[in-house]
Amino acid sequence: MVIGLLTFNYPIGFIVLCVLFATLVTGISYYKSNPFGEVARWKKHLVVALRFFGTFLIALLLLQPLLKQTKSTIEKPLLPVLVDHSQSILGTQPGTFAAEELPAFLEELEKKLGDAYEVFPINFDMERVRDSIDFTAVHTDFGLLFSQVKQRFRHAHLGGVVLFTDGIPTRGQAPEYLIQQLDMPLFAIGIGDTSPRVDAKIFNVIANNTVFLDNLFQVEVQVKAEQLSGKSGVLTLVHEGKTISSKPVRFTAPNQTLQFSFSINADKVGLRKYTARISAFEGEENTNNNQQDFFVEVKDSRKKIVLVANNPHPDIAALRRAIENFEEYELEVYTKSAMDKPIADAHVLILHQVPARGDRGIPNAISSFPNNVLHIVGPEMDLRDWQRFQSHIKVTSSPAFENLIPVVNPNFSLFQVEAAFEPLFNSFPPLRGFLNNFEFEGTGESLLQAKIARVTTDRPVLFLGAHENKRFGFINGTGLWRWRIYNFKEAKNHKAFDNLVGQMMQYLSTKELEERLTVAGPTRVNENEPIVFSARLLDANLERTNAPELNLVVKSSAGKIFDYTFNREGDGYGLRIKGLESDQYSFVAKTRIGSENFEKTGSFIIEKIDAEYLDLQARFDWLENAAEQSNGKFYTFTDRNQLIADLENDFKTPALLKTTTDTEPLLSWRVLLFIIVTLLGAEWFLRKYFGAY
């Protein structure tokens, strides 16, 4: 329904003036001069009326009239239908039956409730559900689900939320404590089987990601049993198809968790795959969780990192804790005045505010260090002395200090930064650094750039590069310890900060050999996650180019071949791979410039996630409580048709009458212009036709 109302920017009395103005103009034109002579009265009145109304409309438009239109629409309540598409749904016979029947029921739901509701079926990834449902999700996180629903539909007129699920969480907080996040009626339909079942599962495997050749490393295996009191089995560790260790297992209670330790010798360098396996028991329906693969990277030796600081500083503790999380690095920390050991054998030297103001020269061990260096500059430094002992970073202005807010450079390509960490990096506290201009010799890129007074600049906060076959790093400012604390405050862990430090150490601990082709990518990813590669190619002049095509050949452990072609991104290459199964893979990147051939090899693993098969006993208890607390209702899948009846009657949400008002200047109406031109044109034509002069 549309209702129109005319308003003016001037007092309504001005309309009387428009009438008087039109009357005056018409009177002067026709009554004072009497141009018609002797003509019929009706003809004269017709022409006069045309002149009057044409003039009146022109005068009226000078008052800038506005047309207000009020539109009323009926808005049906929105009914989001959330469908659990995790793998556990198909783990039991009742769940499989529900999965087969669910698409047809969703169609029936839309058909029968379509007049009263806007039915909107989506899966737990917030993707629209159409004709079929793929039950492939490897995690179920109800906390994330509820927060996404609240965010997505926060402004909608909701009739409640319908939830099809088995109620089994595999990640995030316990769902019974999260229902308050929804703040709307929940209509839960339970899918699956709630009865206890005979089951033995590898619940968890704990092992270091990295170990070293010829060392023994420990593996902790947790075995969980249900309904197996008095039963015995065997737990084995398998490597390359052979059993390398086994232990007897006996369960003494109906529900029990046991932990076993194994010592394994790392006898071969490379990425090694192991399998922990518990024997199957009589009556056990779910054997998918009876084994779990895990991977360990065996390296030849640790890489030594030396950190030299001008004075004790909280940054040192933050860097120490981050680096010590990585088994492949051995860290030594000194203050500059207490250096008592040679450091030439280190792979990386980290200098924290060295040299400082007032120093009498730089120790020879530092100035003659032969390998890669990370410079962390700060207010205590003497930039002039610093420039005298290194030549690849130049300061081009007088020292000045500023709080530098870090911002991720989207064009950084030296290694892959995890997308999930970028929002944290962009919100890290500022570093106290130099406002100077720094120029870098050789090649390199800023990973973090400085935002100053809300303006993102190209001034580096964190720069990585290479010069004369040596790699170097540069951090402009102190306060890294605040980054690590902020990481824990926001994410309840230090992963983003520690991963950033680990990636810097990996880059800096590799010698720069002027490789013409470099390829960067992950060494391990979880199942269903994309594998992201970046690559750089140098031409004969050692300048970056992506003119030739760059191909990637990926090979699984079973010998299956996958061919890919990199995309050109900026002056480099990028590739994103999805859909590979969990396995161990090797790859070869190949390209050609003229008669020169280039290859780069590597490997990665895709780790299988079996979280959805660890527990297949449906949890209807918290679903019932959540539905009751939210003024909704719980149903089993066999009672699903009652949901339709309830939403049409007892729980029916009324439609919303929505009113909107639009204002439009009358001057913009072309129809009105056409009417004025028609009135005055007709007046002119009839006056001539009737013989007026």
Side-chain angles (χ1 to χ4, degrees):
M1 181 173 62
V2 180
I3 300 175
L5 178 65
L6 200 61
T7 62
F8 297 86
N9 288 329
Y10 296 89
I12 196 72
F14 275 63
I15 297 178
V16 177
L17 295 179
C18 293
V19 173
L20 293 176
F21 174 75
T23 302
L24 179 64
V25 171
T26 304
I28 292 174
S29 300
Y30 288 102
Y31 290 97
K32 183 178 180 180
S33 59
N34 191 21
F36 284 102
E38 297 297 328
V39 297
R41 183 183 294 262
W42 70 269
K43 294 180 180 179
K44 183 176 181 180
H45 289 171
L46 175 61
V47 176
V48 167
L50 292 172
R51 169 63 69 90
F52 174 81
F53 285 110
T55 306
F56 172 74
L57 289 176
I58 292 174
L60 189 68
L61 290 178
L62 294 176
L63 300 182
Q64 301 177 13
L66 303 173
L67 182 64
K68 286 187 176 181
Q69 291 184 318
T70 301
K71 298 179 181 179
S72 298
T73 57
I74 303 297
E75 182 179 332
K76 295 186 292 185
L78 182 66
L79 186 68
V81 180
L82 310 178
V83 179
D84 186 346
H85 66 306
S86 62
Q87 295 172 343
S88 63
I89 295 293
L90 301 180
T92 63
Q93 194 279 328
T96 303
F97 171 77
E100 294 171 351
E101 296 291 322
L102 196 50
F105 180 70
L106 292 177
E107 185 178 345
E108 182 182 1
L109 200 66
E110 291 189 70
K111 183 178 180 181
K112 291 187 175 181
L113 296 179
D115 293 336
Y117 295 89
E118 189 70 38
V119 182
F120 192 72
I122 52 177
N123 62 25
F124 281 17
D125 288 334
M126 299 289 105
E127 298 170 341
R128 190 70 184 264
V129 172
R130 301 294 181 182
D131 299 330
S132 62
I133 306 169
D134 293 325
F135 296 92
T136 56
V138 297
H139 281 297
T140 304
D141 188 339
F142 288 100
L144 177 62
L145 172 71
F146 292 159
S147 64
Q148 287 179 331
V149 169
K150 188 173 182 179
Q151 175 70 17
R152 180 164 181 172
F153 302 110
R154 64 187 184 279
H155 299 308
H157 173 47
L158 291 179
V161 173
V162 178
L163 176 63
F164 288 89
T165 181
D166 56 15
I168 305 172
T170 61
R171 190 164 61 181
Q173 291 179 268
E176 49 264 39
Y177 303 114
L178 299 168
I179 190 60
Q180 294 82 2
Q181 291 186 19
L182 272 182
D183 193 26
M184 59 190 74
L186 177 68
F187 302 94
I189 296 89
I191 297 175
D193 189 354
T194 59
S195 59
R197 61 189 63 240
V198 174
D199 192 23
K201 66 189 77 172
I202 302 296
F203 187 69
N204 194 20
V205 177
I206 304 171
N208 289 335
N209 289 331
T210 305
V211 298
F212 296 93
L213 186 64
D214 296 328
N215 285 354
L216 289 176
F217 64 94
Q218 296 296 310
V219 177
E220 303 289 332
V221 181
Q222 294 176 348
V223 180
K224 189 173 183 180
E226 298 173 5
Q227 310 300 314
L228 285 173
S229 179
K231 302 292 183 180
S232 299
V234 179
L235 175 64
T236 58
L237 285 187
V238 179
H239 177 54
E240 295 182 345
K242 299 178 181 179
T243 299
I244 59 174
S245 186
S246 64
K247 291 189 176 183
V249 178
R250 181 171 177 79
F251 302 109
T252 58
N255 296 295
Q256 189 176 17
T257 300
L258 301 176
Q259 182 161 313
F260 300 87
S261 297
F262 295 87
S263 294
I264 302 176
N265 182 42
D267 58 356
K268 190 176 181 181
V269 172
L271 205 55
R272 320 308 298 165
K273 176 183 177 182
Y274 299 87
T275 302
R277 182 179 299 152
I278 182 71
S279 53
F281 292 84
E282 183 179 355
E284 191 175 6
E285 296 179 13
N286 176 27
T287 58
N288 290 316
N289 56 13
N290 284 47
Q291 68 178 42
Q292 184 173 329
D293 296 334
F294 62 99
F295 293 83
V296 175
E297 187 173 7
V298 180
K299 293 191 173 182
D300 209 355
S301 62
R302 284 183 172 87
K303 293 183 177 180
K304 182 177 178 180
I305 297 172
V306 172
L307 194 160
V308 179
N310 176 49
N311 286 307
H313 194 281
D315 282 355
I316 310 306
L319 290 169
R320 179 199 290 271
R321 292 191 178 100
I323 293 171
E324 288 179 347
N325 279 331
F326 298 90
E327 290 287 335
E328 58 263 45
Y329 302 123
E330 175 189 353
L331 178 67
E332 294 180 3
V333 179
Y334 303 97
T335 58
K336 183 169 56 60
S337 59
M339 284 186 61
D340 57 358
K341 292 183 180 180
I343 60 172
D345 61 336
H347 293 80
V348 180
L349 172 63
I350 303 175
L351 297 178
H352 189 276
Q353 300 194 93
V354 175
R357 292 191 299 271
D359 281 352
R360 298 180 179 179
I362 297 171
N364 183 63
I366 294 177
S367 60
S368 62
F369 183 71
N371 295 322
N372 302 332
V373 180
L374 170 61
H375 302 272
I376 302 175
V377 301
E380 297 179 9
M381 282 189 63
D382 187 325
L383 289 182
R384 292 182 180 178
D385 281 351
W386 179 62
Q387 284 216 270
R388 278 195 283 268
F389 99 88
Q390 58 81 30
S391 60
H392 50 280
I393 307 175
K394 299 185 181 300
V395 184
T396 59
S397 57
S398 301
F401 302 109
E402 182 61 81
N403 290 327
L404 307 177
I405 300 173
V407 179
V408 174
N409 174 16
N411 298 317
F412 182 80
S413 63
L414 295 182
F415 51 76
Q416 191 66 39
V417 178
E418 287 195 38
F421 294 154
E422 288 191 20
L424 268 175
F425 294 160
N426 286 328
S427 58
F428 272 168
L431 298 183
R432 187 64 176 171
F434 289 98
L435 197 58
N436 302 67
N437 291 319
F438 293 91
E439 293 182 356
F440 302 92
E441 299 287 338
T443 60
E445 300 175 12
S446 291
L447 171 54
L448 299 176
Q449 297 171 321
K451 180 190 284 187
I452 304 172
R454 298 184 180 181
V455 177
T456 300
T457 70
D458 59 359
R459 298 188 180 187
V461 172
L462 196 167
F463 186 94
L464 296 169
H467 177 62
E468 295 181 350
N469 288 338
K470 290 170 62 176
R471 293 183 174 183
F472 67 89
F474 171 80
I475 297 177
N476 184 8
T478 58
L480 299 173
W481 62 276
R482 293 189 180 93
W483 289 6
R484 199 167 193 268
I485 291 176
Y486 180 83
N487 185 177
F488 188 82
K489 173 178 173 289
E490 294 296 315
K492 306 305 179 192
N493 60 55
H494 301 107
K495 287 183 179 179
F497 179 83
D498 291 356
N499 187 72
L500 174 63
V501 173
Q503 287 185 302
M504 284 194 297
M505 293 304 103
Q506 183 178 356
Y507 175 83
L508 292 170
S509 62
T510 304
K511 291 184 179 295
E512 184 71 15
L513 299 176
E514 291 296 343
E515 291 182 281
R516 301 274 295 278
L517 174 63
T518 57
V519 178
T523 57
R524 60 176 70 210
V525 296
N526 290 328
E527 187 180 24
N528 282 12
E529 290 182 355
I531 305 104
V532 182
F533 290 95
S534 61
R536 182 197 69 178
L537 180 64
L538 303 180
D539 61 18
N541 295 324
L542 300 183
E543 295 180 351
R544 296 182 66 154
T545 178
N546 61 5
E549 186 175 86
L550 179 59
N551 298 307
L552 186 75
V553 180
V554 177
K555 185 178 180 181
S556 70
S557 62
K560 193 172 182 179
I561 302 295
F562 304 89
D563 294 311
Y564 302 95
T565 300
F566 277 83
N567 300 311
R568 292 177 174 87
E569 297 179 356
D571 56 2
Y573 299 89
L575 179 63
R576 187 183 182 91
I577 300 174
K578 290 194 72 174
L580 293 180
E581 297 178 350
S582 58
D583 199 355
Q584 185 172 349
Y585 295 87
S586 60
F587 67 82
V588 180
K590 298 180 180 181
T591 191
R592 181 183 180 91
I593 300 179
S595 60
E596 295 181 286
N597 294 312
F598 299 93
E599 287 191 3
K600 189 68 177 178
T601 61
S603 62
F604 62 90
I605 56 172
I606 300 178
E607 296 185 281
K608 187 173 181 60
I609 300 177
D610 292 318
E612 288 292 326
Y613 293 108
L614 286 177
D615 185 5
L616 296 179
Q617 184 178 350
R619 290 189 53 193
F620 292 174
D621 51 346
W622 78 264
L623 291 174
E624 293 184 62
N625 292 334
E628 183 179 351
Q629 292 175 22
S630 64
N631 298 317
K633 190 174 179 180
F634 173 79
Y635 311 82
T636 63
F637 192 74
T638 54
D639 297 330
R640 60 190 179 279
N641 289 319
Q642 185 61 38
L643 169 69
I644 298 176
D646 288 344
L647 289 174
E648 288 178 324
N649 299 293
D650 297 345
F651 293 95
K652 186 174 182 178
T653 302
L656 190 67
L657 180 63
K658 199 169 185 178
T659 302
T660 58
T661 301
D662 295 325
T663 302
E664 183 181 7
L666 214 59
L667 277 168
S668 64
W669 277 33
R670 294 186 179 182
V671 173
L672 191 59
L673 177 63
F674 175 77
I675 292 173
I676 293 173
V677 172
T678 301
L679 289 173
L680 296 180
E683 181 253 347
W684 176 85
F685 174 77
L686 291 176
R687 189 173 61 173
K688 296 299 183 181
Y689 183 75
F690 294 152
Y693 52 87

